[in-house]
């Protein structure tokens, strides 16, 4: 069912212009939360007005005007922040790019990512803040990725926005001299986007993550970790599936995008470091081993074990620890995989999925683990796969290998 021109225009503006509009609204005040609230009110007003008055020639400019009016209302009286009429917004729209600072990066989302990576913002919340403000994920989605309660993550984000306002953190794009100190947080945010949207296609946020990673790598030229992230996001996207869910171990490589595999491998070659490899280079190498099954028909599990050992030394994340346990289960048996699983991952969905498969492979009761894995799965297709897997095991039907974990 198609939507009308007004909702379609509003959706298009949200998809293409949200980040730069937030940046413009927050630039003069440093109040990120107010900028988001004002822009949300502008979109609501657009959905009310545009069906009656037609879509304006400059939708982004119209939205910016309305949002700024809403900001002024709040400044005049916090007690009546929604009471002032927005009728003046019906006048001539402004160009949202006219007042924007001189371009340093050229891509508005990357610019805003560097803004949100300001060192005055708590390091622990920079990536979640970028995922929410710039890339549009909900606090609940981010909380699941970081394996913390939703309320805890929401509170962290609110505190971060309050600090930006109270500390008057400069809401401006840094020059090249300051970019290196902010780069790790930006790479983490793009990686987080890819991880949260891992099943999407080229037109989804997974495709957006790849675009941002490649654009950033090309901008920086010789930054090995940036090229590692470009390789990682490209190789992951090469294995996307349009419908349903099949674990990586059980996918038919013939359905993968061979062109993206070649492209990702080329990026990985450009990521070869002069020193010890970083996290994203190692993760890209892991994905390259999986993608090599398109050429060889087999998976080099020994190579994966070596790469995960290196990754756990550089970046012992929860996801890496779970994935390393899955590899141990493939090589040394499910009991070894169970012993290698981390003990502090009860809120982490891949932990329960891996535990269920390893338990089933060991001939143990895996029903509770499958139930928890399905409950925590945000993707309905993943949840249905887990429920179906549990039913097949209870019925004594054959199933796949002893373990799986999601990508990337």
């Amino acid at each position: 069912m198609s939507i009308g021109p007004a909702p379609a225009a509003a959706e298009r503006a949200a998809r293409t212009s949200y980040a730069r509009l937030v940046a413009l609204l927050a630039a003069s005040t440093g109040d990120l939360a107010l900028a988001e609230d004002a822009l949300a009110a502008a979109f609501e007003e657009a959905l009310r007005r545009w069906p009656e008055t037609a879509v304006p020639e400059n939708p982004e400019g119209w939205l910016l005007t309305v949002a700024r009016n809403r900001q002024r209302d709040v400044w005049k009286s916090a007690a009546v922040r929604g009471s002032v009429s927005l009728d003046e917004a019906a006048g001539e729209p402004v160009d949202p790019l006219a007042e924007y600072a001189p371009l340093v990066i050229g891509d508005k989302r990357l610019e805003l990512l560097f803004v949100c990576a300001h060192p005055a913002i708590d390091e622990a919340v920079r990536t979640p803040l970028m995922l929410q403000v710039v890339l549009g994920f909900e606090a609940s989605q981010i909380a699941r990725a970081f394996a913390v309660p939703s309320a805890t993550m929401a509170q962290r984000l609110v505190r971060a926005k309050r600090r930006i306002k109270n500390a008057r953190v400069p809401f401006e794009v840094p020059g090249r001299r300051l970019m290196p100190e902010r780069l790790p947080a930006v790479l983490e945010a793009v990686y987080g986007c890819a991880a949260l949207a891992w099943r999407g296609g080229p037109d989804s946020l997974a495709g957006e993550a790849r675009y941002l990673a490649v654009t950033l790598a090309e901008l920086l030229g010789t930054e090995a970790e940036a090229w590692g992230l470009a390789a990682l996001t490209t190789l992951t996207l090469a294995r996307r599936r349009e419908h349903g869910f099949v674990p990586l171990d059980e996918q038919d490589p013939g359905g993968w995008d061979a062109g993206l595999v070649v492209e990702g491998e080329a990026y990985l070659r450009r990521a070869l470091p002069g020193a010890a490899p970083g996290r994203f280079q190692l993760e890209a190498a892991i994905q390259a081993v999986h993608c090599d099954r398109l050429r060889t028909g087999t998976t080099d599990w020994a190579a994966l074990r070596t790469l995960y050992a290196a990754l756990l030394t550089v970046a012992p994340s929860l996801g890496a620890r779970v994935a390393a346990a899955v590899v141990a289960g493939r090589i040394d048996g499910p009991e070894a995989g169970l012993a290698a699983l981390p003990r502090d991952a009860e809120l982490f969905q891949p932990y329960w999925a891996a535990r269920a498969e390893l338990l089933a492979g060991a001939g143990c009761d895996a029903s509770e683990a499958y139930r928890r894995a399905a409950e925590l799965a945000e993707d309905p297709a993943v949840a249905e796969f887990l429920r179906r897997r549990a039913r097949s095991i209870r019925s004594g039907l054959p199933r796949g290998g002893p373990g799986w974990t999601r990508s990337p």
Side-chain angles (χ1 to χ4, degrees):
M1 180 178 178
S2 62
I3 60 176
E11 180 182 352
R12 184 166 54 254
R15 186 174 62 252
T16 62
S17 304
Y18 180 86
R20 66 185 180 192
L21 291 175
V22 168
L24 286 167
L25 292 165
S28 60
T29 68
D31 193 337
L32 190 54
L34 177 58
E36 291 180 304
D37 290 344
L39 187 56
F43 274 106
E44 291 176 4
E45 187 73 6
L47 291 174
R48 286 195 295 268
R49 284 173 174 263
W50 291 357
E52 299 176 358
T53 62
V55 177
E57 291 186 7
N58 185 350
E60 289 82 2
W62 191 99
L63 289 163
L64 184 60
T65 301
V66 173
R68 280 180 168 160
N69 288 338
R70 179 55 61 95
Q71 281 182 317
R72 282 194 289 270
D73 292 345
V74 175
W75 297 332
K76 289 176 183 178
S77 174
V80 291
R81 62 177 54 196
S83 64
V84 180
S85 172
L86 298 175
D87 287 343
E88 66 235 56
E92 287 298 317
V94 298
D95 183 355
L97 298 182
E99 301 176 32
Y100 204 78
L103 295 181
V104 175
I105 298 173
D107 181 275
K108 296 299 180 294
R109 284 197 166 190
L110 282 176
E111 288 176 357
L112 189 51
L113 286 173
F114 275 99
V115 168
C116 291
H118 194 286
I121 301 172
D122 182 7
E123 182 178 355
V125 81
R126 286 176 203 161
T127 296
L129 183 68
M130 288 185 272
L131 287 171
Q132 185 189 58
V133 174
V134 185
L135 299 170
F137 290 98
E138 299 290 338
S140 58
Q141 295 174 290
I142 302 168
R144 281 190 285 272
F146 283 79
V148 300
S150 295
T152 300
M153 181 57 70
Q155 290 171 357
R156 290 178 184 175
L157 291 166
V158 168
R159 285 196 297 268
K161 295 171 188 177
R162 187 180 300 126
R163 172 162 176 74
I164 291 173
K165 176 183 177 182
N166 294 340
R168 303 292 295 176
V169 173
F171 214 72
E172 59 189 16
V173 179
R176 278 185 174 269
R177 183 178 61 83
L178 297 177
M179 283 185 181
E181 68 180 21
R182 303 191 187 189
L183 179 61
V186 173
L187 293 176
E188 285 289 343
V190 176
Y191 173 81
C193 178
L196 286 168
W198 62 284
R199 290 218 27 248
D203 296 328
S204 71
L205 276 172
E208 178 72 5
R210 171 179 170 271
Y211 165 78
L212 291 172
V214 173
T215 301
L216 185 57
E218 291 174 341
L219 172 73
L220 298 176
T222 59
E223 178 59 49
E225 274 288 77
W227 284 112
L229 184 58
L232 171 60
T233 54
T234 302
L235 292 170
T236 302
L237 196 65
R239 300 193 316 271
R240 68 184 176 85
R241 290 176 56 86
E242 296 291 346
H243 305 289
F245 170 78
V246 177
L248 175 57
D249 299 355
E250 301 172 25
Q251 291 177 17
D252 176 9
W256 298 347
D257 188 324
L260 283 180
V261 171
V262 171
E263 183 179 334
E265 290 172 341
Y267 293 152
L268 183 56
R269 286 191 292 272
R270 296 191 67 173
L272 293 177
R279 173 187 179 182
F280 298 118
Q281 297 159 69
L282 289 168
E283 292 212 26
I286 288 169
Q287 296 305 317
V289 170
H290 284 297
C291 287
D292 198 44
R293 187 155 62 89
L294 177 62
R295 180 178 61 86
T296 66
T298 61
T299 299
D300 189 342
W301 293 102
L304 289 176
R305 169 140 55 191
T306 300
L307 288 168
Y308 272 115
L311 180 61
L312 290 175
T313 300
V314 173
S317 67
L318 203 52
R321 290 157 63 196
V322 170
V326 170
V327 173
R330 290 297 299 240
I331 296 174
D332 301 323
E335 292 84 359
L338 287 166
L341 279 174
R343 306 300 180 192
D344 54 351
E346 286 74 14
L347 294 175
F348 193 50
Q349 192 274 341
Y351 162 82
W352 287 106
R355 180 173 176 79
E357 290 288 284
L358 290 166
L359 284 170
C364 301
D365 182 8
S367 57
E368 174 62 16
Y370 275 120
R371 184 187 67 78
R372 287 287 290 143
E375 285 179 349
L376 291 171
E378 184 176 339
D379 190 324
V382 174
E384 175 54 32
F385 166 83
L386 291 164
R387 289 190 289 265
R388 190 169 61 248
R389 186 80 113 190
R391 289 194 297 269
S392 70
I393 290 174
R394 285 196 298 269
S395 302
L397 298 175
R399 57 184 213 35
W404 67 275
T405 187
R406 69 175 178 84
S407 300

